[in-house]
Protein backbone atom coordinates (compact mmCIF):
# COMPACT_ATOMS: atom_id res chain seq x y z
CA UNK A 1 0.00 0.00 0.00
CA UNK A 2 1.25 3.52 -0.78
CA UNK A 3 1.81 5.78 2.19
CA UNK A 4 -0.18 8.96 1.81
CA UNK A 5 2.58 11.06 3.32
CA UNK A 6 4.91 12.93 1.04
CA UNK A 7 7.97 10.75 0.54
CA UNK A 8 11.30 11.84 -0.82
CA UNK A 9 11.27 9.26 -3.60
CA UNK A 10 14.91 9.69 -4.52
CA UNK A 11 15.89 8.56 -1.03
CA UNK A 12 13.29 5.81 -0.69
CA UNK A 13 14.55 2.27 -0.15
CA UNK A 14 12.78 1.03 -3.30
CA UNK A 15 14.52 3.60 -5.51
CA UNK A 16 17.91 3.20 -3.81
CA UNK A 17 17.85 -0.59 -4.17
CA UNK A 18 16.75 -0.49 -7.82
CA UNK A 19 19.45 2.03 -8.70
CA UNK A 20 22.09 0.10 -6.76
CA UNK A 21 21.15 -3.05 -8.66
CA UNK A 22 20.83 -1.62 -12.19
CA UNK A 23 23.70 0.88 -12.09
CA UNK A 24 26.29 -1.68 -10.93
CA UNK A 25 27.55 -4.92 -12.42
CA UNK A 26 26.20 -7.95 -10.60
CA UNK A 27 27.00 -11.66 -10.72
CA UNK A 28 24.32 -12.44 -13.28
CA UNK A 29 23.94 -9.14 -15.17
CA UNK A 30 26.07 -6.22 -16.20
CA UNK A 31 24.65 -2.75 -15.88
CA UNK A 32 22.93 -1.74 -19.13
CA UNK A 33 23.12 1.94 -18.14
CA UNK A 34 26.09 3.91 -19.50
CA UNK A 35 27.85 5.93 -16.81
CA UNK A 36 27.26 9.26 -18.58
CA UNK A 37 23.45 9.01 -18.25
CA UNK A 38 23.12 7.60 -14.75
CA UNK A 39 22.63 10.86 -12.82
CA UNK A 40 20.05 12.22 -15.27
CA UNK A 41 18.37 8.81 -15.58
CA UNK A 42 17.93 8.76 -11.82
CA UNK A 43 16.45 12.26 -11.82
CA UNK A 44 14.09 11.59 -14.73
CA UNK A 45 12.95 8.17 -13.52
CA UNK A 46 12.13 9.47 -10.03
CA UNK A 47 10.16 12.30 -11.65
CA UNK A 48 8.23 9.88 -13.93
CA UNK A 49 7.56 7.53 -11.01
CA UNK A 50 6.33 10.40 -8.82
CA UNK A 51 3.97 11.55 -11.57
CA UNK A 52 2.62 8.01 -11.91
CA UNK A 53 2.06 7.82 -8.15
CA UNK A 54 0.32 11.22 -8.14
CA UNK A 55 -2.19 10.00 -10.74
CA UNK A 56 -3.24 6.84 -8.91
CA UNK A 57 -6.80 6.78 -7.68
CA UNK A 58 -7.48 6.05 -4.00
CA UNK A 59 -8.71 2.58 -4.98
CA UNK A 60 -5.54 1.90 -6.97
CA UNK A 61 -3.39 3.08 -4.05
CA UNK A 62 -5.05 0.43 -1.88
CA UNK A 63 -4.38 -2.28 -4.49
CA UNK A 64 -0.75 -1.44 -5.28
CA UNK A 65 1.81 -3.62 -3.55
CA UNK A 66 5.62 -3.49 -3.30
CA UNK A 67 6.10 -5.74 -6.33
CA UNK A 68 3.95 -3.49 -8.53
CA UNK A 69 5.79 -0.42 -7.26
CA UNK A 70 9.19 -1.98 -8.00
CA UNK A 71 8.13 -3.03 -11.51
CA UNK A 72 6.74 0.41 -12.27
CA UNK A 73 9.87 2.15 -11.05
CA UNK A 74 12.04 -0.11 -13.22
CA UNK A 75 9.80 0.71 -16.18
CA UNK A 76 10.29 4.43 -15.48
CA UNK A 77 14.04 3.87 -15.11
CA UNK A 78 14.40 2.19 -18.50
CA UNK A 79 12.08 4.68 -20.24
CA UNK A 80 14.15 7.58 -18.94
CA UNK A 81 17.41 5.95 -20.02
CA UNK A 82 16.13 5.22 -23.52
CA UNK A 83 15.47 8.94 -23.97
CA UNK A 84 19.03 9.81 -22.88
CA UNK A 85 21.35 7.37 -24.64
CA UNK A 86 23.23 8.64 -27.69
CA UNK A 87 24.21 5.43 -29.48
CA UNK A 88 21.97 2.82 -31.09
CA UNK A 89 24.01 0.04 -29.47
CA UNK A 90 23.33 1.56 -26.03
CA UNK A 91 19.62 1.49 -26.88
CA UNK A 92 19.88 -2.21 -27.80
CA UNK A 93 21.57 -2.92 -24.46
CA UNK A 94 18.77 -1.17 -22.57
CA UNK A 95 16.06 -2.99 -24.52
CA UNK A 96 17.76 -6.39 -24.09
CA UNK A 97 20.09 -6.15 -21.06
CA UNK A 98 20.67 -9.92 -20.82
CA UNK A 99 21.88 -10.43 -24.41
CA UNK A 100 25.51 -10.41 -25.64
CA UNK A 101 27.14 -7.01 -26.12
CA UNK A 102 29.85 -5.46 -28.26
CA UNK A 103 33.24 -6.88 -27.32
CA UNK A 104 31.81 -10.01 -25.72
CA UNK A 105 33.65 -13.23 -26.53
CA UNK A 106 31.88 -15.80 -28.68
CA UNK A 107 32.83 -19.47 -28.70
CA UNK A 108 31.12 -20.95 -31.76
CA UNK A 109 29.35 -24.28 -31.60
CA UNK A 110 30.92 -27.31 -33.23
CA UNK A 111 28.09 -27.56 -35.79
CA UNK A 112 28.07 -25.39 -38.87
CA UNK A 113 31.07 -23.48 -40.23
CA UNK A 114 34.25 -23.90 -38.24
CA UNK A 115 34.82 -20.48 -36.75
CA UNK A 116 37.45 -19.75 -34.16
CA UNK A 117 36.76 -17.91 -30.90
CA UNK A 118 35.63 -14.39 -31.77
CA UNK A 119 34.38 -11.11 -30.36
CA UNK A 120 31.15 -9.28 -31.20
CA UNK A 121 31.98 -6.21 -33.30
CA UNK A 122 28.52 -5.11 -34.46
CA UNK A 123 24.88 -5.51 -33.43
CA UNK A 124 21.68 -4.36 -35.06
CA UNK A 125 17.96 -4.96 -34.67
CA UNK A 126 15.88 -6.07 -37.63
CA UNK A 127 12.37 -7.32 -38.28
CA UNK A 128 11.15 -10.04 -40.60
CA UNK A 129 7.36 -10.05 -40.65
CA UNK A 130 6.19 -10.09 -37.04
CA UNK A 131 9.53 -11.42 -35.76
CA UNK A 132 12.36 -9.31 -34.37
CA UNK A 133 15.99 -10.35 -34.58
CA UNK A 134 19.33 -9.28 -33.18
CA UNK A 135 21.98 -9.58 -35.88
CA UNK A 136 25.50 -10.12 -34.59
CA UNK A 137 28.73 -9.65 -36.51
CA UNK A 138 31.82 -11.29 -35.03
CA UNK A 139 35.54 -11.05 -35.74
CA UNK A 140 37.77 -14.02 -35.07
CA UNK A 141 40.41 -13.40 -32.43
CA UNK A 142 43.19 -15.02 -34.47
CA UNK A 143 42.45 -13.24 -37.76
CA UNK A 144 40.38 -10.48 -39.33
CA UNK A 145 37.82 -12.99 -40.59
CA UNK A 146 34.26 -11.91 -39.80
CA UNK A 147 31.09 -13.95 -39.63
CA UNK A 148 27.48 -13.24 -38.77
CA UNK A 149 24.52 -14.82 -37.08
CA UNK A 150 21.14 -13.71 -35.80
CA UNK A 151 18.90 -14.59 -32.90
CA UNK A 152 15.17 -14.20 -32.64
CA UNK A 153 14.09 -11.82 -29.90
CA UNK A 154 11.13 -12.22 -27.56
CA UNK A 155 7.97 -10.47 -28.74
Amino acid sequence: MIAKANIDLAKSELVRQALRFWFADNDHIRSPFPQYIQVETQRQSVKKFGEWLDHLTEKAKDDVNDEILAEKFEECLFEAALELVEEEDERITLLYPFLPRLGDPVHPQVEGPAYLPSKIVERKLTSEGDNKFLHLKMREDASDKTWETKMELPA
Side-chain angles (χ1 to χ4, degrees):
M1 181 162 20
I2 298 173
K4 299 196 178 167
N6 248 344
I7 316 171
D8 186 353
L9 286 178
K11 294 180 181 175
S12 73
E13 189 63 23
L14 178 143
V15 169
R16 287 186 13 239
Q17 283 186 13
L19 294 174
R20 188 178 313 122
F21 176 80
W22 284 111
F23 285 178
D25 291 340
N26 297 282
D27 290 340
H28 62 290
I29 183 170
R30 295 171 285 172
S31 175
F33 296 88
Q35 187 72 35
Y36 76 93
I37 67 163
Q38 289 183 7
V39 171
E40 187 61 18
T41 298
Q42 178 178 345
R43 194 179 75 71
Q44 290 293 326
S45 61
V46 168
K47 179 181 174 193
K48 287 175 184 279
F49 186 58
E51 289 169 353
W52 178 78
L53 288 172
D54 288 345
H55 288 92
L56 288 177
T57 64
E58 289 304 314
K59 168 84 173 99
K61 288 178 183 180
D62 290 337
D63 294 339
V64 170
N65 60 29
D66 289 345
E67 184 177 336
I68 292 170
L69 289 173
E71 287 176 9
K72 184 60 183 181
F73 179 71
E74 284 188 355
E75 182 183 312
C76 293
L77 185 66
F78 278 83
E79 284 177 6
L82 284 167
E83 294 171 6
L84 296 169
V85 290
E86 297 171 358
E87 303 290 329
E88 179 63 17
D89 192 71
E90 294 167 334
R91 186 175 168 283
I92 293 170
T93 299
L94 286 165
L95 292 170
Y96 303 100
F98 297 100
L99 293 183
R101 301 183 191 176
L102 288 178
D104 283 357
V106 176
H107 303 284
Q109 303 297 321
V110 175
E111 355 173 316
Y115 295 111
L116 297 171
S118 306
K119 291 210 177 7
I120 298 172
V121 294
E122 185 178 308
R123 302 187 307 169
K124 69 179 175 181
L125 298 175
T126 61
S127 295
E128 296 174 20
D130 291 338
N131 302 321
K132 291 183 180 181
F133 293 90
L134 176 63
H135 284 260
L136 300 171
K137 182 176 183 179
M138 277 68 62
R139 179 171 289 119
E140 289 184 349
D141 294 341
S143 71
D144 278 338
K145 184 176 179 181
T146 61
W147 56 281
E148 297 182 24
T149 191
K150 68 181 179 182
M151 60 179 67
E152 189 168 357
L153 298 170

